[in-house]
Amino acid sequence: MNDLPAPPDSIAAPFAERDPFADARAVRELTWSDHPAKRHPWSLAFLAAAALTVAVGAAEIFDSRWAGIAAAVAAGIAFRGFLLKTTYTLDDAGAEARGPFGAHILSWGEVTRFRHDPAGATLSTAANPGLWDKLSGLRVTFPHSGARRDVVRFVLPRLGSGVPVVEEEE
């Protein structure tokens, strides 16, 4: 019935199958790493082609190779969440996303909205969706489809009362 390959043990271990009726508070911490570029090589190839096109275009428009280099660097910074490996830790204190250039940490008290979809979850500090979400919120990506259930079950009891939860399906 399920013809999808099982996730590698290094990814599946933090999301080991547990009793579906168990209390989510019994789990004290979830930690996993995700590297979307490694999971989606065709998307990486498309992104590289697009970044090269933008860099060449900027170099031609501004008649400077430095403009092309700056455009390529800007593309790398804009897509760093996709290009670089990130380690996520959820515990009783809050959520943390740690990458090669630092960490983004949110306590559960700071979260004002929680939205999740098949690819990941957004812990937001803004009252309404918008640009502030992108700048201050924390996006957690799921390494495989079974991780969504475990993350949502872990997060829900730790959110403050009245925090809106939005579930999106693809």
Side-chain angles (χ1 to χ4, degrees):
M1 274 183 75
N2 187 0
D3 53 347
L4 294 174
D9 289 337
S10 62
I11 291 175
F15 301 100
E17 190 65 36
R18 291 184 293 278
D19 178 5
F21 301 105
D23 181 13
R25 286 218 176 255
V27 178
R28 297 322 243 169
E29 181 178 281
L30 286 178
T31 300
W32 72 97
S33 293
D34 190 26
H35 192 182
K38 197 173 192 179
R39 286 188 294 120
H40 304 287
W42 284 108
S43 297
L44 177 61
F46 177 76
L47 179 62
L52 180 63
T53 303
V54 167
V56 168
E60 288 295 317
I61 289 171
F62 294 105
D63 196 27
S64 167
R65 82 176 116 184
W66 293 109
I69 292 170
V73 169
I77 291 170
F79 292 101
R80 70 187 177 276
F82 176 79
L83 295 170
L84 303 173
K85 181 179 174 183
T86 305
T87 300
Y88 300 99
T89 302
L90 304 178
D91 59 21
D92 286 335
E96 176 183 18
R98 182 169 297 281
F101 299 114
H104 187 170
I105 302 169
L106 283 180
S107 70
W108 296 121
E110 294 177 278
V111 177
T112 57
R113 283 184 304 107
F114 177 60
R115 183 181 67 79
H116 60 94
D117 55 49
T122 302
L123 302 164
S124 178
T125 59
N128 298 311
L131 180 60
W132 190 245
D133 268 349
K134 304 284 187 219
L135 299 173
S136 66
L138 177 64
R139 178 73 179 168
V140 174
T141 60
F142 302 143
H144 59 84
S145 61
R148 179 182 187 182
R149 181 198 68 222
D150 289 341
V151 169
V152 170
R153 285 181 59 214
F154 185 88
V155 170
L156 288 179
R158 289 163 175 83
L159 294 176
S161 62
V163 172
V165 176
V166 178
E167 178 180 355
E168 294 183 7
E169 297 295 328
E170 267 188 64

